[in-house]
Amino acid sequence: MSTKGLGKVDRVLRRALPGPCAFCLAAAPAGEPWCAACFASLPWNRLACVQCAQPQPEAVPGACGRCLRHPPPFVRSRVGLRYEGEVAALMQRFKFLAEPRAGTVLVTLMQESLAGLQRSELPQALLALPRHADRARERGFDQAEWLTTRLARQLELPCFTARRIRQTPTQRGLDRQARRRNLHGAFVVDAQLPPRVAVVDDIMTTGASLAALAGACLVAGAEEVEAWAVARTPLA
């Protein structure tokens, strides 16, 4: 989307917020997109693997067993919510209905999950996961790029662009290993990256897509890559 287009969308978003709670539609405090009760009841991903953000039944001091056996190319994941309940419904309104208020609330939720970080703990740049061109055309926008652009603006971080050089079949229905094979060599980053970057998507399922992009970032000069997403899909 052009800069002019982004500006138009942002003007719409400023009119959309504040308003009623995005979840229960009750009155929300001035300047907040949600009420305190709904915010507290969201499915926060607090018990999770530090490296892949997979929800765990109890606190894990570090990486889960899978990450210890097969470490992903990103050193940690910051995914504040689980993809379920109200968060899943909000995400679906954003992805499939292109609802601007839903997208703005998702960006704000990402900011909330990162609020405890010091400036020195933030990466030096963000990269959105490139969407399959056909899917982006179907929806009329690239949701990962949309989220990443606005999050970067709020965090005052630059964005770099990755390219999808191989159109891959859908990931739906594939297990973890098949997803990794499907995405091998799918992305490239043409620019020289700073040492610390984060790759960003809306939903993290197995982490295979973000891992493939993280690998491309390491080839492009990054020394440490984090994986960021709004929500994590709990694996069965």
Side-chain angles (χ1 to χ4, degrees):
M1 184 180 290
S2 67
T3 302
K4 182 178 179 181
L6 287 173
K8 182 178 180 180
V9 170
D10 288 340
R11 286 194 296 275
V12 172
L13 298 181
R14 282 195 291 272
R15 291 196 295 271
L17 289 175
C21 173
F23 302 103
C24 71
L25 302 182
E32 296 290 343
W34 45 62
C35 67
C38 285
F39 183 75
S41 67
L42 289 176
W44 295 101
N45 193 26
R46 294 191 176 96
L47 300 180
C49 170
V50 172
Q51 195 159 6
C52 74
Q54 171 61 32
Q56 302 294 314
E58 57 187 23
V60 176
C64 66
R66 182 180 284 112
C67 287
L68 290 174
R69 293 190 301 272
H70 305 288
F74 42 78
V75 297
R76 69 185 62 85
S77 294
R78 301 192 190 275
V79 188
L81 294 152
R82 301 189 306 277
Y83 184 69
E84 57 188 50
E86 294 290 352
V87 171
L90 187 69
M91 186 73 72
Q92 288 164 14
R93 297 206 307 271
F94 172 60
K95 291 181 68 167
F96 301 112
L97 300 178
E99 185 180 304
R101 178 176 167 84
T104 304
V105 173
L106 292 172
V107 172
T108 309
L109 284 170
M110 289 191 78
Q111 288 179 258
E112 288 289 336
S113 68
L114 299 167
L117 296 180
Q118 300 296 319
R119 186 72 193 179
S120 60
E121 296 178 281
L122 290 173
Q124 296 164 294
L126 304 182
L127 295 92
L129 182 76
R131 274 292 169 269
H132 191 292
D134 291 342
R135 293 185 182 87
R137 280 194 295 270
E138 287 172 5
R139 294 174 184 166
F141 76 118
D142 184 325
Q143 68 266 20
E145 180 184 24
W146 196 100
L147 292 169
T148 304
T149 300
R150 282 152 183 79
L151 184 62
R153 187 181 302 165
Q154 295 299 321
L155 298 177
E156 299 181 343
L157 294 173
C159 280
F160 283 80
T161 301
R163 291 188 295 117
R164 184 183 286 263
I165 58 175
R166 186 168 60 80
Q167 300 297 358
T168 57
T170 180
Q171 296 280 79
R172 292 174 184 171
L174 300 181
D175 62 20
R176 183 182 296 268
Q177 286 71 31
R179 284 173 178 251
R180 287 179 177 173
R181 290 193 299 270
N182 190 36
L183 288 161
H184 180 70
F187 306 115
V188 67
V189 180
D190 296 318
Q192 179 71 23
L193 294 178
R196 296 182 295 106
V197 303
V199 292
V200 185
D201 200 4
D202 53 355
I203 305 170
M204 187 175 184
T205 304
T206 65
S209 297
L210 289 170
L213 179 55
C217 290
L218 294 173
V219 171
E223 298 172 7
E224 180 180 287
V225 183
E226 294 187 358
W228 288 9
V230 179
R232 183 64 153 89
T233 302
L235 296 179

